[in-house]
Amino acid sequence: MKHSRAARLVSILAAGALLSACVSSRDTKNEVAVPQTVPASDLTGLTLQVGDQKGGTESLLRAAGELDNVPYKVQFSTFTSGPPQVEAATAGKIDFAVTGNTPPIFGAAAGAKIRVIAAYSNSAAGDQILTPTGSAVHTVADLRGKKVVVGKGSSAHGHLLLQLQKAGLTVKDIQLVFLQPADAFTALSQGQADAWAIWDPYTALAQNQLKVRTVATAESVTNGYGFGIAAVAALQDAKRNSALADFVRRVARASLWAKDHPDEWYQKYAAAIGIDPQVARVAQSRSLRLAIPINDAVIASEQQLADAFAQSGQIDHKATFSQFVDNRFGDQLSQFWTTAK
């Protein structure tokens, strides 16, 4: 397949309503009042607004049958990456979204009106730093002075930062260029970038469509966590809070279904986002996120990542991750948890 067609595929994956609401004043209050539970029968007129990244929450829920018999309506909006989902939640445009490990940190540093209400994990093998096959870059240390593209505030941004630290480098030692996946794909394919830090399914797509080599993966370097974030306004609203309690269970249950029915999931995933089934298989075999508890170890790991961003000057304010955690749905989710790392 020619690069132009591959770039169009990435554009399809990344396209959507990029809501650009600005994060407002800093919100440092930890506790958000828990409203009274509303019966499912009273949710019929409610529409839950859910942010999504193509190939993410909606396709998983549909494949697992978790969008059947929902007592409320669900409307999905597609975003290019996690940071604009955080912005949209702060602006009240969405009620919930699943992001990688880094967007909530950027949100916390900016005082976003969100809370982390669910956590997910995998091996982080799908987060990789790619370089053209003929490149002189073979290790992270070789990135010194090179142009590296990455989505600002994405999980790949966090991965790149930690890899640089591990190699004894800082962001000042590279030419850091912030690009969303479609533009980054084009830049790498046309020789306008030396390396690309990226996550699945874009990693798998690039490995299938471009002549690239993996410089490093995030395994054992980053924590591999993803998070379900909710707008504070939604958590304070009795009906939306009750719908969220149901919805996060559906997400966790769908992930377990995908784990137990991999071949069916790969096929449905490929069809849903319009990619080759083999690419879908590669991406989801290493990047399916299973629910885990938001325990002290998870919070501490995220705080280490937040501290690394603050120390590097990549965020203006040091974020206290624990202040943005809300475990109100922990009891309902515990039956779906796998062991946290």
Side-chain angles (χ1 to χ4, degrees):
M1 183 179 291
K2 295 182 179 179
H3 291 173
S4 60
R5 185 180 174 190
R8 286 197 298 272
L9 279 172
V10 176
S11 297
I12 291 171
L13 285 168
L18 178 58
L19 302 177
S20 57
C22 295
V23 172
S24 58
S25 60
R26 293 177 58 76
D27 176 8
T28 57
K29 294 181 180 179
N30 184 27
E31 297 297 329
V32 177
V34 180
Q36 186 174 356
T37 300
V38 174
S41 58
D42 290 346
L43 300 179
T44 54
L46 175 70
T47 299
L48 194 70
Q49 301 290 341
V50 178
D52 197 11
Q53 297 177 54
K54 204 66 175 179
T57 307
E58 182 178 8
S59 60
L60 176 63
L61 290 169
R62 289 199 184 283
E66 289 293 342
L67 290 180
D68 300 334
N69 302 315
V70 180
Y72 46 88
K73 297 178 182 178
V74 182
Q75 181 171 325
F76 293 93
S77 299
T78 305
F79 295 79
T80 56
S81 59
Q85 292 178 314
V86 173
E87 293 175 352
T90 291
K93 301 297 184 181
I94 61 173
D95 301 311
F96 176 83
V98 176
T99 78
N101 59 3
T102 303
I105 289 173
F106 271 66
K113 297 182 185 303
I114 63 165
R115 290 296 182 268
V116 171
I117 61 170
Y120 314 94
S121 188
N122 58 40
S123 70
D127 266 30
Q128 299 189 15
I129 299 175
L130 304 176
T131 194
T133 302
S135 170
V137 175
H138 292 275
T139 67
V140 175
D142 294 335
L143 293 175
R144 185 186 294 272
K146 302 298 185 182
K147 183 181 291 185
V148 183
V149 293
V150 68
K152 185 176 183 178
S154 66
S155 63
H157 191 181
H159 174 215
L160 176 62
L161 179 65
L162 295 183
Q163 288 284 9
L164 291 173
Q165 285 188 339
K166 184 179 177 182
L169 302 178
T170 71
V171 291
K172 295 180 180 179
D173 293 316
I174 65 173
Q175 299 178 52
L176 185 61
V177 179
F178 294 125
L179 292 177
Q180 290 295 333
D183 292 331
F185 184 100
T186 299
L188 192 71
S189 67
Q190 295 182 355
Q192 298 170 353
D194 298 299
W196 181 19
I198 189 57
W199 63 92
D200 272 330
Y202 305 107
T203 307
L205 185 60
Q207 290 170 327
N208 182 263
Q209 304 298 341
L210 303 177
K211 294 181 179 179
V212 294
R213 171 167 31 86
T214 298
V215 174
T217 76
E219 294 173 281
S220 302
V221 176
T222 67
N223 53 36
Y225 297 149
F227 295 101
I229 61 154
V232 168
L235 293 172
Q236 292 174 326
D237 180 87
K239 288 187 176 182
R240 292 188 185 279
N241 182 72
S242 296
L244 284 169
D246 174 75
F247 193 79
V248 293
R249 289 197 298 270
R250 291 175 184 272
V251 173
R253 194 161 51 229
S255 294
L256 287 177
W257 172 87
K259 176 179 177 290
D260 293 337
H261 303 84
D263 292 334
E264 185 178 353
W265 165 228
Y266 301 151
Q267 291 294 325
K268 289 185 175 181
Y269 176 69
I273 64 173
I275 63 174
D276 185 278
Q278 183 56 35
V279 175
R281 176 179 293 274
V282 171
Q284 286 301 307
S285 66
R286 64 192 179 194
S287 294
L288 177 67
R289 288 172 172 162
L290 298 171
I292 60 171
I294 317 174
N295 58 23
D296 290 344
V298 169
I299 293 172
S301 181
E302 280 294 290
Q303 190 60 52
Q304 289 178 350
L305 181 57
D307 292 346
F309 269 104
Q311 292 163 7
S312 71
Q314 295 287 287
I315 55 178
D316 295 331
H317 302 278
K318 182 177 179 179
T320 302
F321 186 77
S322 62
Q323 292 183 346
F324 288 79
V325 170
D326 190 320
N327 258 319
R328 66 179 63 190
F329 302 128
D331 288 343
Q332 295 108 310
L333 288 172
S334 61
Q335 62 183 302
F336 307 112
W337 285 340
T338 55
T339 303
K341 294 189 297 181

